[in-house]
């Protein structure tokens, strides 16, 4: 059916900032409903209860824009109802949950697209091409932002299953695992957890990338002023730097033209392709690295976070 009917579930910051405009701008999709306990989207059927939507709502694919801890239950219900499914990152609260979702989608024959929006940043594909076939020496990730600016009033990020600073950090890991695909392991990690939170506000990871290339990552949620989302890749014959979360690319200090930022338009283009092929795309490599950091890492308690 074209345009493909789609329902947004969880009408929070990312649904409003990115999903609504991306769906509106893509002629392959038509928003037919929204599910929210608190918000209403104009011009479509609105439901406050997800079960009721599944039972009575219009036929449509589902875009789950809820926090990760709510993903498994809603995702399994949507799949059981035969709905094709797009899920925000992180795909679930744990690797086990994500794998359960993927297996359920496979068994039910529905499309599952576990999105990583940062992989659609315009510098990422050129960076992957540059890195392919080069001898890499090291990778350095610096991902520092102000949690108050990007997660205003959100409590779930500090609760178990809320990911803390891994919520943005997993975006860096999604770029890393796309640009340098292959086996990757966490060797050490240190997480700083505020005394009044369950999840970290800062993290440092040491990883071994494909072929043993050393990767050092720093994630910090306490950066005020200019924000930093940088990945530097040093090879034998040059250095590539992705900045602004992959929106900018420099090679050996010279800027490379990569086109405009269009992460969420890219996500919905890809979702349309997957639906046309009845295929799924569910790569959990970034989630595995976060999980392994938590398994191998040391946690230290730091001063309480005051919103
Ligand atoms: P948010 O503003 O808190 O919105 C999430 C919405 O999900 C809430 O408004 C709530 O909407 C609904 N919801 C359903 N079950 C919930 C539960 N158990 N706890 C809390 N909310 C629940 O969060 P967000 O920033 O949009 O993030 C949502 C997802 O998008 C996360 O996985 C996040 O990593 C990802 N994401 C966020 C950003 C960003 O810049 N914030 C960027 C990219 C991706 P209703 O009131 O409508 O029910």
């Amino acid at each position: 059916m074209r345009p493909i009917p789609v329902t947004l579930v969880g009408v929070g910051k990312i649904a409003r900032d990115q999903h609504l405009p991306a769906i509106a701008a893509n002629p392959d999709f038509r928003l037919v409903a929204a599910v929210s306990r608190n918000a209403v989207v104009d011009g479509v059927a609105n439901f406050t209860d997800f079960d009721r939507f599944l039972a009575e709502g219009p036929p449509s694919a589902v875009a789950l824009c809820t926090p990760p801890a709510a993903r498994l239950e809603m995702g399994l219900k949507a799949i059981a109802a035969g709905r094709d499914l797009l899920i925000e990152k992180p795909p679930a609260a744990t690797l086990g949950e994500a794998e359960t979702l993927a297996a359920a989608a496979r068994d039910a024959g529905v499309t599952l697209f576990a999105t990583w929006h940062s992989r659609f940043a315009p510098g990422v594909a050129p960076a992957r091409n540059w890195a392919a076939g080069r001898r890499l020496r090291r990778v350095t990730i610096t991902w520092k932002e102000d949690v108050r600016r990007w997660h205003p009033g959100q409590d779930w990020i500090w609760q178990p299953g809320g990911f803390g600073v891994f919520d943005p950090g997993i975006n860096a890991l999604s770029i890393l695992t796309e640009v340098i695909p292959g086996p990757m392991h966490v060797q050490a990690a240190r997480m700083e957890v505020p005394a009044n939170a369950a999840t970290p506000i800062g993290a440092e990871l040491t990883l071994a990338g494909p072929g043993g290339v050393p990767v050092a990552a720093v994630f910090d949620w306490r950066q005020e002023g200019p924000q930093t989302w940088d990945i530097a890749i040093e090879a034998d014959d040059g250095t590539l730097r992705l900045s602004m979360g992959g929106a900018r690319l420099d090679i050996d200090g010279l800027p490379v033209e990569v086109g405009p930022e269009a992460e969420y338009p890219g996500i919905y283009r890809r979702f349309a392709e997957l639906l046309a092929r009845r295929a799924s795309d569910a790569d959990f490599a970034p989630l595995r690295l976060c999980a392994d950091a938590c398994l191998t890492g040391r946690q230290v308690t730091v001063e309480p976070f005051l919103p």
Side-chain angles (χ1 to χ4, degrees), residues 9-19 35-40 47-48 64-71 74 87-91 115 117 145 149-157 159 162-163 167-168 170-171 263-264:
V9 180
V11 184
K13 183 165 179 8
I14 201 60
R16 290 198 178 283
D17 288 358
Q18 298 290 349
H19 289 261
V35 183
S36 168
R37 299 163 304 181
N38 304 292
V40 166
F47 295 81
T48 53
L64 267 189
C65 303
T66 49
R71 204 95 72 214
M74 290 172 135
I87 56 180
E88 256 298 348
K89 48 63 58 172
T115 62
H117 64 86
E145 60 176 52
R149 195 189 310 180
W150 302 103
H151 294 276
Q154 295 179 4
D155 291 335
W156 60 265
I157 53 172
Q159 290 164 7
F163 280 76
D167 181 85
I170 204 169
N171 298 335
E263 294 181 5
Y264 281 79

Side-chain angles (χ1 to χ4, degrees), residues 151-257:
H151 294 276
Q154 295 179 4
D155 291 335
W156 60 265
I157 53 172
W158 301 113
Q159 290 164 7
F163 280 76
V165 78
F166 285 108
D167 181 85
I170 204 169
N171 298 335
L173 298 175
S174 75
I175 294 177
L176 176 71
T177 48
E178 173 74 13
V179 171
I180 310 175
M184 200 170 300
H185 306 283
V186 178
Q187 295 176 313
R190 179 179 185 277
M191 277 90 64
E192 295 180 324
V193 182
N196 59 346
T199 58
I201 196 165
E204 289 176 15
L205 274 56
T206 305
L207 307 135
V213 59
V215 180
V218 178
F219 307 149
D220 202 320
W221 244 348
R222 292 160 292 201
Q223 174 142 307
E224 295 174 11
Q227 308 284 281
T228 310
W229 299 289
D230 289 356
I231 300 180
I233 306 175
E234 289 176 49
D236 276 353
D237 61 347
T239 298
L240 174 146
R241 179 179 296 277
L242 282 168
S243 53
M244 303 298 294
R248 296 225 338 237
L249 175 66
D250 294 82
I251 295 176
D252 298 329
L254 297 174
V256 176
E257 178 53 54

Side-chain angles (χ1 to χ4, degrees), residues 101-163:
L101 275 176
R106 231 177 2 253
D107 291 349
V110 306
T111 287
L112 173 65
F113 182 20
T115 62
W116 299 106
H117 64 86
S118 292
R119 286 183 174 175
F120 290 87
V124 170
R128 182 182 165 118
N129 291 338
W130 182 90
R134 278 195 154 78
R135 270 248 306 271
L136 305 183
R137 286 187 184 158
R138 74 177 57 82
V139 179
T140 310
I141 299 174
T142 313
W143 222 254
K144 296 184 175 181
E145 60 176 52
D146 183 350
V147 62
R148 294 181 179 90
R149 195 189 310 180
W150 302 103
H151 294 276
Q154 295 179 4
D155 291 335
W156 60 265
I157 53 172
W158 301 113
Q159 290 164 7
F163 280 76

